[in-house]
Amino acid sequence: MSDRYCVFGHPIGHSRSPAIHAAFAAQCGEAIDYTAIEAPLDDFAGAWRDFVAAGGRGANVTVPFKEEAHRLCATLSRRARRAGAVNTLVLGKNGDTYGDTTDGVGLVRDLQRHGVMLRGARVLVLGAGGAVRGVLEPLLAEGPASLRVANRTAAKAEALADDFADLGPIRGGGFEAVAGPFDLVINGTSASLGGALPPLPDDLFAAGATAYDMMYGAELTVFLRWARERGARPLDGLGMLVEQAAEAFFQWRGKRPDTAPVLAELRRSL
């Protein structure tokens, strides 16, 4: 009998996680049953309990339930405690729920796969929401020369930077205060979903810089098109999606899949 896993979200019909984990399982010779579950907005904890009662062993968690997943865990990874959110649930042998966030690890691994040097780099991260909070610790662990968080509401970016100031050279402020050049600019805002662009100066990118959007699609996002026109190398977040899934799979099954063929097939299917 296959062990059961799932991804929780609302909505969740668009999720590519079932296809990703099916590919990982086939590659690693693991028998798992992975499905997508649309949890009710007012009872995520109940949906997790029901899943466990039906034999569930672990889950991925996406919007809007990452903070609720954090609250229901008996134990948390250090990075999940820092992020205040959980995207990976693991049912322990004692029945307790362990929570982790693998988004930041996924981002860093994807950047490394593309040869982006983080140590000593000047990094700008756009946005100050949950997506950004979840990646700051892994980014700072790589030893950038500086990390700037910029947000439409400056106070929110400043508060977020204060929360992580003990981990490295991080500062926060408003979009209007951003002054380049930067070696890496990461868009963690949701602006790309609406085809919008944060208000940014044209001289944002250093020579040889990389622009990374956590969103992805068949075509470049408006942010990545704008960045490419200004000389930056554009990368989207599809690799981050696959890499964070691989980290969750490793935590569940103790095997680390080869992400390259899974990512290539996913890219072809967009």
Side-chain angles (χ1 to χ4, degrees):
M1 185 176 178
S2 300
D3 289 338
R4 295 189 63 194
Y5 300 90
C6 75
V7 56
F8 287 110
H10 192 112
I12 199 60
H14 65 286
S15 176
R16 296 182 179 271
S17 292
I20 293 171
H21 283 280
F24 288 164
Q27 181 190 114
C28 295
E30 293 289 299
I32 70 169
D33 175 17
Y34 188 108
T35 57
I37 297 177
E38 184 167 284
L41 291 173
D42 60 351
D43 193 18
F44 170 74
W48 168 245
R49 287 194 299 269
D50 290 345
F51 182 66
V52 169
R57 302 297 306 167
N60 293 127
V61 183
T62 188
V63 291
F65 299 121
K66 292 184 180 183
E67 289 77 17
E68 290 184 67
H70 179 276
R71 290 193 291 271
L72 67 76
C73 291
T75 55
L76 294 161
S77 69
R78 186 183 69 176
R79 59 196 181 201
R81 287 195 299 272
R82 278 277 187 178
V86 158
N87 79 338
T88 302
L89 297 172
V90 184
L91 185 68
K93 293 180 179 179
N94 61 356
D96 286 343
T97 301
Y98 168 79
D100 192 13
T101 179
T102 64
D103 287 332
V105 172
L107 171 63
V108 168
R109 286 185 182 154
D110 193 39
L111 288 168
Q112 291 171 338
R113 185 172 60 85
H114 286 284
V116 177
M117 179 64 67
L118 289 167
R119 183 163 299 279
R122 296 161 295 180
V123 180
L124 171 65
V125 181
L126 306 174
V132 169
R133 175 174 282 274
V135 304
L136 290 180
E137 181 180 9
L139 284 172
L140 288 166
E142 294 299 312
S146 63
L147 195 158
R148 175 87 181 193
V149 179
N151 190 57
R152 193 174 302 276
T153 304
K156 191 172 182 181
E158 291 165 359
L160 184 58
D162 286 345
D163 287 346
F164 289 84
D166 60 312
L167 299 182
I170 182 171
R171 295 174 56 210
F175 288 133
E176 72 283 351
V178 170
F182 295 95
D183 303 301
L184 171 64
V185 180
I186 300 170
N187 183 21
T189 74
S190 58
S192 292
L193 293 175
L197 185 71
L200 300 169
D202 285 331
D203 59 349
L204 198 62
F205 301 101
T210 297
Y212 193 100
D213 200 322
M214 291 187 189
M215 303 298 170
Y216 65 88
E219 306 294 335
L220 291 180
T221 66
V222 63
F223 167 73
L224 291 180
R225 292 197 303 271
W226 178 87
R228 184 174 63 180
E229 290 168 0
R230 285 151 184 82
R233 176 176 58 151
L235 299 174
D236 72 12
L238 189 64
M240 175 180 172
L241 173 69
V242 175
E243 294 292 346
Q244 64 82 26
E247 177 66 17
F249 188 90
F250 175 74
Q251 293 197 30
W252 295 331
R253 311 303 296 179
K255 295 181 179 179
R256 194 172 296 283
D258 180 2
T259 55
V262 178
L263 177 56
E265 179 57 33
L266 204 59
R267 181 73 68 187
R268 284 192 292 269
S269 71
L270 290 180

PDB file of all heavy atoms in Angstrom, residues 119-155:
ATOM      1  N   ARG A 119      27.712  34.693  -2.488  1.00  0.00           N
ATOM      2  CA  ARG A 119      28.701  35.201  -1.542  1.00  0.00           C
ATOM      3  C   ARG A 119      29.332  36.479  -2.088  1.00  0.00           C
ATOM      4  O   ARG A 119      29.852  36.514  -3.200  1.00  0.00           O
ATOM      5  CB  ARG A 119      29.780  34.145  -1.271  1.00  0.00           C
ATOM      6  CG  ARG A 119      30.804  34.593  -0.227  1.00  0.00           C
ATOM      7  CD  ARG A 119      31.590  33.423   0.336  1.00  0.00           C
ATOM      8  NE  ARG A 119      30.716  32.461   1.011  1.00  0.00           N
ATOM      9  CZ  ARG A 119      30.255  32.591   2.248  1.00  0.00           C
ATOM     10  NH1 ARG A 119      30.590  33.670   2.959  1.00  0.00           N
ATOM     11  NH2 ARG A 119      29.474  31.677   2.773  1.00  0.00           N
ATOM     12  N   GLY A 120      29.248  37.527  -1.279  1.00  0.00           N
ATOM     13  CA  GLY A 120      29.813  38.805  -1.687  1.00  0.00           C
ATOM     14  C   GLY A 120      28.948  39.611  -2.639  1.00  0.00           C
ATOM     15  O   GLY A 120      29.353  40.691  -3.071  1.00  0.00           O
ATOM     16  N   ALA A 121      27.759  39.117  -2.952  1.00  0.00           N
ATOM     17  CA  ALA A 121      26.899  39.804  -3.921  1.00  0.00           C
ATOM     18  C   ALA A 121      26.078  40.899  -3.258  1.00  0.00           C
ATOM     19  O   ALA A 121      25.781  40.853  -2.063  1.00  0.00           O
ATOM     20  CB  ALA A 121      25.967  38.795  -4.588  1.00  0.00           C
ATOM     21  N   ARG A 122      25.699  41.885  -4.063  1.00  0.00           N
ATOM     22  CA  ARG A 122      24.768  42.929  -3.647  1.00  0.00           C
ATOM     23  C   ARG A 122      23.378  42.492  -4.102  1.00  0.00           C
ATOM     24  O   ARG A 122      23.120  42.413  -5.299  1.00  0.00           O
ATOM     25  CB  ARG A 122      25.163  44.265  -4.277  1.00  0.00           C
ATOM     26  CG  ARG A 122      26.517  44.784  -3.831  1.00  0.00           C
ATOM     27  CD  ARG A 122      27.068  45.831  -4.787  1.00  0.00           C
ATOM     28  NE  ARG A 122      27.352  45.255  -6.099  1.00  0.00           N
ATOM     29  CZ  ARG A 122      27.852  45.960  -7.129  1.00  0.00           C
ATOM     30  NH1 ARG A 122      28.107  47.242  -6.984  1.00  0.00           N
ATOM     31  NH2 ARG A 122      28.094  45.358  -8.282  1.00  0.00           N
ATOM     32  N   VAL A 123      22.505  42.211  -3.131  1.00  0.00           N
ATOM     33  CA  VAL A 123      21.212  41.591  -3.428  1.00  0.00           C
ATOM     34  C   VAL A 123      20.078  42.544  -3.053  1.00  0.00           C
ATOM     35  O   VAL A 123      20.093  43.151  -1.979  1.00  0.00           O
ATOM     36  CB  VAL A 123      21.052  40.265  -2.653  1.00  0.00           C
ATOM     37  CG1 VAL A 123      19.705  39.618  -2.953  1.00  0.00           C
ATOM     38  CG2 VAL A 123      22.198  39.311  -2.991  1.00  0.00           C
ATOM     39  N   LEU A 124      19.100  42.655  -3.952  1.00  0.00           N
ATOM     40  CA  LEU A 124      17.880  43.406  -3.682  1.00  0.00           C
ATOM     41  C   LEU A 124      16.709  42.446  -3.765  1.00  0.00           C
ATOM     42  O   LEU A 124      16.574  41.697  -4.742  1.00  0.00           O
ATOM     43  CB  LEU A 124      17.699  44.523  -4.711  1.00  0.00           C
ATOM     44  CG  LEU A 124      16.360  45.270  -4.690  1.00  0.00           C
ATOM     45  CD1 LEU A 124      16.177  46.049  -3.386  1.00  0.00           C
ATOM     46  CD2 LEU A 124      16.248  46.214  -5.899  1.00  0.00           C
ATOM     47  N   VAL A 125      15.854  42.451  -2.739  1.00  0.00           N
ATOM     48  CA  VAL A 125      14.647  41.632  -2.738  1.00  0.00           C
ATOM     49  C   VAL A 125      13.449  42.567  -2.699  1.00  0.00           C
ATOM     50  O   VAL A 125      13.337  43.427  -1.817  1.00  0.00           O
ATOM     51  CB  VAL A 125      14.611  40.668  -1.534  1.00  0.00           C
ATOM     52  CG1 VAL A 125      13.358  39.811  -1.585  1.00  0.00           C
ATOM     53  CG2 VAL A 125      15.856  39.783  -1.524  1.00  0.00           C
ATOM     54  N   LEU A 126      12.547  42.406  -3.650  1.00  0.00           N
ATOM     55  CA  LEU A 126      11.365  43.253  -3.765  1.00  0.00           C
ATOM     56  C   LEU A 126      10.181  42.586  -3.087  1.00  0.00           C
ATOM     57  O   LEU A 126       9.860  41.430  -3.384  1.00  0.00           O
ATOM     58  CB  LEU A 126      11.040  43.507  -5.239  1.00  0.00           C
ATOM     59  CG  LEU A 126      12.180  44.073  -6.088  1.00  0.00           C
ATOM     60  CD1 LEU A 126      11.770  44.136  -7.551  1.00  0.00           C
ATOM     61  CD2 LEU A 126      12.609  45.437  -5.584  1.00  0.00           C
ATOM     62  N   GLY A 127       9.528  43.312  -2.168  1.00  0.00           N
ATOM     63  CA  GLY A 127       8.396  42.775  -1.435  1.00  0.00           C
ATOM     64  C   GLY A 127       8.752  42.513   0.011  1.00  0.00           C
ATOM     65  O   GLY A 127       9.935  42.390   0.365  1.00  0.00           O
ATOM     66  N   ALA A 128       7.721  42.433   0.843  1.00  0.00           N
ATOM     67  CA  ALA A 128       7.954  42.191   2.271  1.00  0.00           C
ATOM     68  C   ALA A 128       6.886  41.275   2.853  1.00  0.00           C
ATOM     69  O   ALA A 128       6.636  41.298   4.051  1.00  0.00           O
ATOM     70  CB  ALA A 128       7.994  43.519   3.033  1.00  0.00           C
ATOM     71  N   GLY A 129       6.281  40.455   2.011  1.00  0.00           N
ATOM     72  CA  GLY A 129       5.250  39.526   2.463  1.00  0.00           C
ATOM     73  C   GLY A 129       5.824  38.174   2.835  1.00  0.00           C
ATOM     74  O   GLY A 129       7.037  38.006   3.011  1.00  0.00           O
ATOM     75  N   GLY A 130       4.943  37.196   2.943  1.00  0.00           N
ATOM     76  CA  GLY A 130       5.346  35.868   3.367  1.00  0.00           C
ATOM     77  C   GLY A 130       6.338  35.199   2.439  1.00  0.00           C
ATOM     78  O   GLY A 130       7.229  34.475   2.887  1.00  0.00           O
ATOM     79  N   ALA A 131       6.196  35.440   1.129  1.00  0.00           N
ATOM     80  CA  ALA A 131       7.115  34.816   0.175  1.00  0.00           C
ATOM     81  C   ALA A 131       8.540  35.283   0.415  1.00  0.00           C
ATOM     82  O   ALA A 131       9.496  34.494   0.329  1.00  0.00           O
ATOM     83  CB  ALA A 131       6.682  35.134  -1.254  1.00  0.00           C
ATOM     84  N   VAL A 132       8.698  36.562   0.731  1.00  0.00           N
ATOM     85  CA  VAL A 132      10.033  37.107   0.994  1.00  0.00           C
ATOM     86  C   VAL A 132      10.544  36.657   2.357  1.00  0.00           C
ATOM     87  O   VAL A 132      11.699  36.246   2.499  1.00  0.00           O
ATOM     88  CB  VAL A 132      10.005  38.644   0.888  1.00  0.00           C
ATOM     89  CG1 VAL A 132      11.308  39.240   1.409  1.00  0.00           C
ATOM     90  CG2 VAL A 132       9.762  39.064  -0.548  1.00  0.00           C
ATOM     91  N   ARG A 133       9.702  36.715   3.364  1.00  0.00           N
ATOM     92  CA  ARG A 133      10.125  36.296   4.704  1.00  0.00           C
ATOM     93  C   ARG A 133      10.674  34.870   4.683  1.00  0.00           C
ATOM     94  O   ARG A 133      11.638  34.552   5.401  1.00  0.00           O
ATOM     95  CB  ARG A 133       8.942  36.392   5.675  1.00  0.00           C
ATOM     96  CG  ARG A 133       9.238  35.876   7.073  1.00  0.00           C
ATOM     97  CD  ARG A 133       8.093  36.136   8.024  1.00  0.00           C
ATOM     98  NE  ARG A 133       8.067  37.519   8.477  1.00  0.00           N
ATOM     99  CZ  ARG A 133       8.762  37.975   9.508  1.00  0.00           C
ATOM    100  NH1 ARG A 133       9.555  37.164  10.198  1.00  0.00           N
ATOM    101  NH2 ARG A 133       8.685  39.227   9.862  1.00  0.00           N
ATOM    102  N   GLY A 134      10.092  34.012   3.868  1.00  0.00           N
ATOM    103  CA  GLY A 134      10.500  32.618   3.830  1.00  0.00           C
ATOM    104  C   GLY A 134      11.842  32.356   3.186  1.00  0.00           C
ATOM    105  O   GLY A 134      12.390  31.256   3.327  1.00  0.00           O
ATOM    106  N   VAL A 135      12.407  33.349   2.473  1.00  0.00           N
ATOM    107  CA  VAL A 135      13.679  33.095   1.776  1.00  0.00           C
ATOM    108  C   VAL A 135      14.850  33.868   2.359  1.00  0.00           C
ATOM    109  O   VAL A 135      15.997  33.640   1.966  1.00  0.00           O
ATOM    110  CB  VAL A 135      13.562  33.427   0.264  1.00  0.00           C
ATOM    111  CG1 VAL A 135      12.434  32.643  -0.372  1.00  0.00           C
ATOM    112  CG2 VAL A 135      13.388  34.919   0.026  1.00  0.00           C
ATOM    113  N   LEU A 136      14.616  34.764   3.309  1.00  0.00           N
ATOM    114  CA  LEU A 136      15.687  35.640   3.778  1.00  0.00           C
ATOM    115  C   LEU A 136      16.786  34.889   4.534  1.00  0.00           C
ATOM    116  O   LEU A 136      17.979  35.151   4.319  1.00  0.00           O
ATOM    117  CB  LEU A 136      15.116  36.755   4.657  1.00  0.00           C
ATOM    118  CG  LEU A 136      14.278  37.806   3.916  1.00  0.00           C
ATOM    119  CD1 LEU A 136      13.777  38.856   4.891  1.00  0.00           C
ATOM    120  CD2 LEU A 136      15.075  38.456   2.787  1.00  0.00           C
ATOM    121  N   GLU A 137      16.421  33.959   5.410  1.00  0.00           N
ATOM    122  CA  GLU A 137      17.457  33.247   6.158  1.00  0.00           C
ATOM    123  C   GLU A 137      18.391  32.466   5.237  1.00  0.00           C
ATOM    124  O   GLU A 137      19.621  32.584   5.357  1.00  0.00           O
ATOM    125  CB  GLU A 137      16.855  32.319   7.217  1.00  0.00           C
ATOM    126  CG  GLU A 137      17.931  31.599   8.015  1.00  0.00           C
ATOM    127  CD  GLU A 137      17.386  30.657   9.076  1.00  0.00           C
ATOM    128  OE1 GLU A 137      16.173  30.413   9.101  1.00  0.00           O
ATOM    129  OE2 GLU A 137      18.189  30.167   9.890  1.00  0.00           O
ATOM    130  N   PRO A 138      17.876  31.651   4.291  1.00  0.00           N
ATOM    131  CA  PRO A 138      18.791  30.938   3.394  1.00  0.00           C
ATOM    132  C   PRO A 138      19.636  31.875   2.530  1.00  0.00           C
ATOM    133  O   PRO A 138      20.807  31.572   2.249  1.00  0.00           O
ATOM    134  CB  PRO A 138      17.850  30.083   2.540  1.00  0.00           C
ATOM    135  CG  PRO A 138      16.658  29.869   3.409  1.00  0.00           C
ATOM    136  CD  PRO A 138      16.481  31.163   4.133  1.00  0.00           C
ATOM    137  N   LEU A 139      19.077  33.010   2.111  1.00  0.00           N
ATOM    138  CA  LEU A 139      19.869  33.954   1.332  1.00  0.00           C
ATOM    139  C   LEU A 139      21.002  34.538   2.164  1.00  0.00           C
ATOM    140  O   LEU A 139      22.161  34.595   1.717  1.00  0.00           O
ATOM    141  CB  LEU A 139      18.977  35.086   0.809  1.00  0.00           C
ATOM    142  CG  LEU A 139      18.066  34.763  -0.374  1.00  0.00           C
ATOM    143  CD1 LEU A 139      17.115  35.926  -0.639  1.00  0.00           C
ATOM    144  CD2 LEU A 139      18.882  34.456  -1.631  1.00  0.00           C
ATOM    145  N   LEU A 140      20.703  34.958   3.384  1.00  0.00           N
ATOM    146  CA  LEU A 140      21.739  35.537   4.247  1.00  0.00           C
ATOM    147  C   LEU A 140      22.800  34.514   4.622  1.00  0.00           C
ATOM    148  O   LEU A 140      23.973  34.861   4.819  1.00  0.00           O
ATOM    149  CB  LEU A 140      21.096  36.131   5.497  1.00  0.00           C
ATOM    150  CG  LEU A 140      20.308  37.428   5.274  1.00  0.00           C
ATOM    151  CD1 LEU A 140      19.448  37.746   6.486  1.00  0.00           C
ATOM    152  CD2 LEU A 140      21.255  38.588   4.964  1.00  0.00           C
ATOM    153  N   ALA A 141      22.412  33.243   4.711  1.00  0.00           N
ATOM    154  CA  ALA A 141      23.369  32.186   5.055  1.00  0.00           C
ATOM    155  C   ALA A 141      24.444  32.018   3.986  1.00  0.00           C
ATOM    156  O   ALA A 141      25.513  31.458   4.259  1.00  0.00           O
ATOM    157  CB  ALA A 141      22.644  30.861   5.267  1.00  0.00           C
ATOM    158  N   GLU A 142      24.181  32.509   2.775  1.00  0.00           N
ATOM    159  CA  GLU A 142      25.147  32.385   1.684  1.00  0.00           C
ATOM    160  C   GLU A 142      26.199  33.488   1.700  1.00  0.00           C
ATOM    161  O   GLU A 142      27.107  33.495   0.872  1.00  0.00           O
ATOM    162  CB  GLU A 142      24.418  32.375   0.330  1.00  0.00           C
ATOM    163  CG  GLU A 142      23.542  31.155   0.128  1.00  0.00           C
ATOM    164  CD  GLU A 142      24.329  29.860   0.168  1.00  0.00           C
ATOM    165  OE1 GLU A 142      25.376  29.776  -0.516  1.00  0.00           O
ATOM    166  OE2 GLU A 142      23.914  28.932   0.882  1.00  0.00           O
ATOM    167  N   GLY A 143      26.072  34.461   2.615  1.00  0.00           N
ATOM    168  CA  GLY A 143      27.104  35.475   2.782  1.00  0.00           C
ATOM    169  C   GLY A 143      27.129  36.586   1.756  1.00  0.00           C
ATOM    170  O   GLY A 143      28.223  36.954   1.278  1.00  0.00           O
ATOM    171  N   PRO A 144      25.977  37.182   1.407  1.00  0.00           N
ATOM    172  CA  PRO A 144      26.017  38.329   0.494  1.00  0.00           C
ATOM    173  C   PRO A 144      26.694  39.527   1.146  1.00  0.00           C
ATOM    174  O   PRO A 144      26.708  39.658   2.377  1.00  0.00           O
ATOM    175  CB  PRO A 144      24.528  38.611   0.228  1.00  0.00           C
ATOM    176  CG  PRO A 144      23.830  38.128   1.460  1.00  0.00           C
ATOM    177  CD  PRO A 144      24.605  36.906   1.888  1.00  0.00           C
ATOM    178  N   ALA A 145      27.244  40.426   0.326  1.00  0.00           N
ATOM    179  CA  ALA A 145      27.842  41.646   0.858  1.00  0.00           C
ATOM    180  C   ALA A 145      26.777  42.544   1.477  1.00  0.00           C
ATOM    181  O   ALA A 145      27.024  43.221   2.480  1.00  0.00           O
ATOM    182  CB  ALA A 145      28.581  42.392  -0.251  1.00  0.00           C
ATOM    183  N   SER A 146      25.605  42.544   0.868  1.00  0.00           N
ATOM    184  CA  SER A 146      24.482  43.324   1.386  1.00  0.00           C
ATOM    185  C   SER A 146      23.192  42.736   0.852  1.00  0.00           C
ATOM    186  O   SER A 146      23.164  42.137  -0.234  1.00  0.00           O
ATOM    187  CB  SER A 146      24.596  44.795   0.969  1.00  0.00           C
ATOM    188  OG  SER A 146      24.531  44.928  -0.439  1.00  0.00           O
ATOM    189  N   LEU A 147      22.132  42.903   1.634  1.00  0.00           N
ATOM    190  CA  LEU A 147      20.805  42.470   1.196  1.00  0.00           C
ATOM    191  C   LEU A 147      19.829  43.593   1.538  1.00  0.00           C
ATOM    192  O   LEU A 147      19.677  43.950   2.707  1.00  0.00           O
ATOM    193  CB  LEU A 147      20.385  41.156   1.865  1.00  0.00           C
ATOM    194  CG  LEU A 147      19.193  40.429   1.231  1.00  0.00           C
ATOM    195  CD1 LEU A 147      19.214  38.942   1.595  1.00  0.00           C
ATOM    196  CD2 LEU A 147      17.853  41.023   1.641  1.00  0.00           C
ATOM    197  N   ARG A 148      19.211  44.122   0.524  1.00  0.00           N
ATOM    198  CA  ARG A 148      18.251  45.217   0.689  1.00  0.00           C
ATOM    199  C   ARG A 148      16.854  44.682   0.421  1.00  0.00           C
ATOM    200  O   ARG A 148      16.620  44.005  -0.583  1.00  0.00           O
ATOM    201  CB  ARG A 148      18.570  46.332  -0.304  1.00  0.00           C
ATOM    202  CG  ARG A 148      17.582  47.481  -0.322  1.00  0.00           C
ATOM    203  CD  ARG A 148      17.934  48.516   0.696  1.00  0.00           C
ATOM    204  NE  ARG A 148      16.976  49.615   0.716  1.00  0.00           N
ATOM    205  CZ  ARG A 148      17.171  50.763   1.323  1.00  0.00           C
ATOM    206  NH1 ARG A 148      18.302  50.972   1.961  1.00  0.00           N
ATOM    207  NH2 ARG A 148      16.263  51.705   1.319  1.00  0.00           N
ATOM    208  N   VAL A 149      15.921  44.958   1.320  1.00  0.00           N
ATOM    209  CA  VAL A 149      14.518  44.611   1.126  1.00  0.00           C
ATOM    210  C   VAL A 149      13.768  45.898   0.813  1.00  0.00           C
ATOM    211  O   VAL A 149      13.847  46.876   1.579  1.00  0.00           O
ATOM    212  CB  VAL A 149      13.910  43.948   2.376  1.00  0.00           C
ATOM    213  CG1 VAL A 149      12.435  43.623   2.146  1.00  0.00           C
ATOM    214  CG2 VAL A 149      14.671  42.678   2.728  1.00  0.00           C
ATOM    215  N   ALA A 150      13.058  45.932  -0.311  1.00  0.00           N
ATOM    216  CA  ALA A 150      12.306  47.122  -0.705  1.00  0.00           C
ATOM    217  C   ALA A 150      10.834  46.767  -0.864  1.00  0.00           C
ATOM    218  O   ALA A 150      10.492  45.714  -1.412  1.00  0.00           O
ATOM    219  CB  ALA A 150      12.846  47.692  -2.018  1.00  0.00           C
ATOM    220  N   ASN A 151       9.982  47.662  -0.394  1.00  0.00           N
ATOM    221  CA  ASN A 151       8.550  47.409  -0.429  1.00  0.00           C
ATOM    222  C   ASN A 151       7.818  48.734  -0.617  1.00  0.00           C
ATOM    223  O   ASN A 151       8.341  49.802  -0.287  1.00  0.00           O
ATOM    224  CB  ASN A 151       8.107  46.749   0.887  1.00  0.00           C
ATOM    225  CG  ASN A 151       6.687  46.239   0.836  1.00  0.00           C
ATOM    226  OD1 ASN A 151       6.336  45.429  -0.016  1.00  0.00           O
ATOM    227  ND2 ASN A 151       5.848  46.701   1.737  1.00  0.00           N
ATOM    228  N   ARG A 152       6.595  48.647  -1.144  1.00  0.00           N
ATOM    229  CA  ARG A 152       5.804  49.868  -1.322  1.00  0.00           C
ATOM    230  C   ARG A 152       5.607  50.576   0.012  1.00  0.00           C
ATOM    231  O   ARG A 152       5.671  51.803   0.097  1.00  0.00           O
ATOM    232  CB  ARG A 152       4.456  49.512  -1.962  1.00  0.00           C
ATOM    233  CG  ARG A 152       3.685  50.714  -2.472  1.00  0.00           C
ATOM    234  CD  ARG A 152       2.435  50.267  -3.212  1.00  0.00           C
ATOM    235  NE  ARG A 152       2.746  49.400  -4.332  1.00  0.00           N
ATOM    236  CZ  ARG A 152       3.095  49.827  -5.548  1.00  0.00           C
ATOM    237  NH1 ARG A 152       3.208  51.133  -5.775  1.00  0.00           N
ATOM    238  NH2 ARG A 152       3.354  48.977  -6.510  1.00  0.00           N
ATOM    239  N   THR A 153       5.343  49.795   1.068  1.00  0.00           N
ATOM    240  CA  THR A 153       5.258  50.351   2.417  1.00  0.00           C
ATOM    241  C   THR A 153       6.618  50.178   3.083  1.00  0.00           C
ATOM    242  O   THR A 153       6.994  49.071   3.469  1.00  0.00           O
ATOM    243  CB  THR A 153       4.172  49.628   3.237  1.00  0.00           C
ATOM    244  OG1 THR A 153       2.919  49.711   2.554  1.00  0.00           O
ATOM    245  CG2 THR A 153       4.035  50.247   4.615  1.00  0.00           C
ATOM    246  N   ALA A 154       7.339  51.277   3.220  1.00  0.00           N
ATOM    247  CA  ALA A 154       8.714  51.213   3.718  1.00  0.00           C
ATOM    248  C   ALA A 154       8.792  50.610   5.114  1.00  0.00           C
ATOM    249  O   ALA A 154       9.694  49.822   5.406  1.00  0.00           O
ATOM    250  CB  ALA A 154       9.332  52.610   3.710  1.00  0.00           C
ATOM    251  N   ALA A 155       7.847  50.966   5.979  1.00  0.00           N
ATOM    252  CA  ALA A 155       7.896  50.491   7.361  1.00  0.00           C
ATOM    253  C   ALA A 155       7.838  48.976   7.442  1.00  0.00           C
ATOM    254  O   ALA A 155       8.470  48.363   8.317  1.00  0.00           O
ATOM    255  CB  ALA A 155       6.757  51.101   8.169  1.00  0.00           C
TER     256      ALA A 155
END
